[in-house]
Amino acid sequence: MCTMDLSNRDFSYREQGLIASLFVTLIVFGGYFYSAFTKLALNPAMPSIAELIFVVILVIVFESIMQIFIRLKNTSQSEDERDRLIEKISYKYGYWVLSACTWFLLVQLLLDATFDHLTVFSTPSGIFHLLLLFFVLAEVAHFVVQLYYYRRGF
Amino acid sequence: MAKKITNNIRKLRFAADEMSQQTLAEKVGVTRQTIIAIEKDRYSPSLEVAFKIADVFGSPFEEIFNYQESEVI
C-alpha cells in the first residue's frame, strides 16, 4: 500500500535541504510575483535589471544561510543511488510543468494575435513575467516531487 | 495479486548482533534513509546494493530478497 507517512518527522539531510529551497523559492518569488502581477495591469513596463538582481541575491543569501545551517546540523551529508533516482524523476515532472505552461503561453499568444485582442499578458513585460513564473513553477514541482518520493518511497 | 520484492534485512540485522541501520548503511555505502526505505519495502535497491547487503550478512541473495505475490490495496 502506498501512503505518505507524515507522522515520521525524521527528515533526512536531503529532505531538509529541499524544504529550505522550497520555502525560500516560495517566499522570495511569491513576493516578487505578487508585486509584479498586481502592478502589471497599471504599469506594463519591463522590470528593471536592478529589481531582478535584488531578487536573485535574496534567493542566494537566504538559500546559503539555510543550507549552511542544515549542513552544520547534519553529520551525514552523503548521496546515494536512491537520491539520484528521485532527483531524476523530479526533473521529469519539472519538465512537464515547464512544457505545459509554455504551450499554454504559446496558445494564448496565438489566440491574442488571431482575434486581435491583446491582453496584458501579451505585452513584453507580461510574457517576461509569465516565462519567469513558469520556470519557478517547474522548480517548485522539482522540489515537491522529490519531497513526495522521499516520504512515500517507491 | 501482484508480485513484489520483499526482504528480511530487519531480521538479519537483529541476528547480526543487533546491527544498526547506520552501520549497515555505512558498510553498503548508502544513506540510513535508504536502508529504512528498503526495510519497509518502499524502495527496491539496485543489484549492486542488493549484492553488497548480501555480502555484509554473508548470506545467499535469495535468503535476503524474495519476489513473491502480495496483495495490492
Side-chain angles (χ1 to χ4, degrees):
Chain A
M1 187 170 70
C2 294
T3 53
M4 294 254 297
D5 186 8
L6 292 174
S7 59
N8 182 5
R9 301 289 178 193
D10 184 19
F11 291 111
S12 68
Y13 162 71
R14 297 273 299 180
E15 282 175 285
Q16 290 172 25
L18 285 167
I19 291 167
S21 299
L22 181 64
F23 181 74
V24 169
T25 305
L26 288 177
I27 295 293
V28 175
F29 280 104
Y32 173 78
F33 284 122
Y34 178 75
S35 156
F37 283 118
T38 47
K39 279 193 293 188
L40 198 61
L42 304 168
N43 177 26
M46 285 289 282
S48 67
I49 292 175
E51 201 178 342
L52 290 170
I53 290 173
F54 177 70
V55 172
V56 172
I57 288 173
L58 264 187
V59 170
I60 293 169
V61 169
F62 283 142
E63 182 90 3
S64 304
I65 292 168
M66 293 186 94
Q67 296 298 342
I68 288 168
F69 179 71
I70 290 166
R71 272 175 190 267
L72 289 174
K73 239 183 75 182
N74 290 274
T75 47
S76 171
Q77 298 159 10
S78 54
E79 181 188 85
D80 65 14
E81 60 174 36
R82 185 166 157 265
D83 298 315
R84 286 188 288 273
L85 186 61
I86 289 174
E87 192 172 21
K88 213 163 87 177
I89 292 169
S90 71
Y91 272 122
K92 183 181 77 179
Y93 285 98
Y95 166 77
W96 283 355
V97 169
L98 185 59
S99 185
C101 289
T102 307
W103 274 107
F104 165 78
L105 180 62
L106 288 173
V107 170
Q108 193 211 293
L109 290 175
L110 201 65
L111 289 174
D112 281 359
T114 308
F115 297 107
D116 202 20
H117 172 70
L118 289 178
T119 62
V120 71
F121 294 115
S122 303
T123 61
S125 174
I127 295 167
F128 175 86
H129 281 113
L130 278 180
L131 281 174
L132 188 60
L133 174 68
F134 297 162
F135 275 105
V136 172
L137 285 178
E139 194 68 3
V140 167
H142 169 64
F143 295 142
V144 170
V145 169
Q146 283 186 83
L147 284 170
Y148 174 75
Y149 275 108
Y150 274 118
R151 288 288 99 188
R152 196 210 77 168
F154 288 95
Chain B
M1 298 281 262
K3 280 191 164 185
K4 74 179 282 193
I5 298 170
T6 58
N7 65 78
N8 304 313
I9 294 173
R10 195 176 166 79
K11 277 186 208 159
L12 287 164
R13 271 198 310 108
F14 281 97
D17 238 5
E18 296 196 4
M19 184 192 290
S20 70
Q21 290 170 329
Q22 185 62 43
T23 306
L24 178 60
E26 283 165 12
K27 286 185 175 180
V28 174
V30 295
T31 60
R32 190 174 71 90
Q33 280 70 30
T34 296
I35 296 295
I36 295 169
I38 295 170
E39 279 188 3
K40 289 182 177 176
D41 298 329
R42 287 179 170 185
Y43 174 64
S44 299
S46 67
L47 265 180
E48 190 186 352
V49 168
F51 275 111
K52 279 181 180 172
I53 291 170
D55 195 43
V56 168
F57 292 120
S59 304
F61 187 83
E62 58 274 15
E63 257 182 41
I64 302 172
F65 294 96
N66 310 297
Y67 186 54
Q68 59 189 23
E69 302 273 346
S70 75
E71 275 186 47
V72 177
I73 302 170

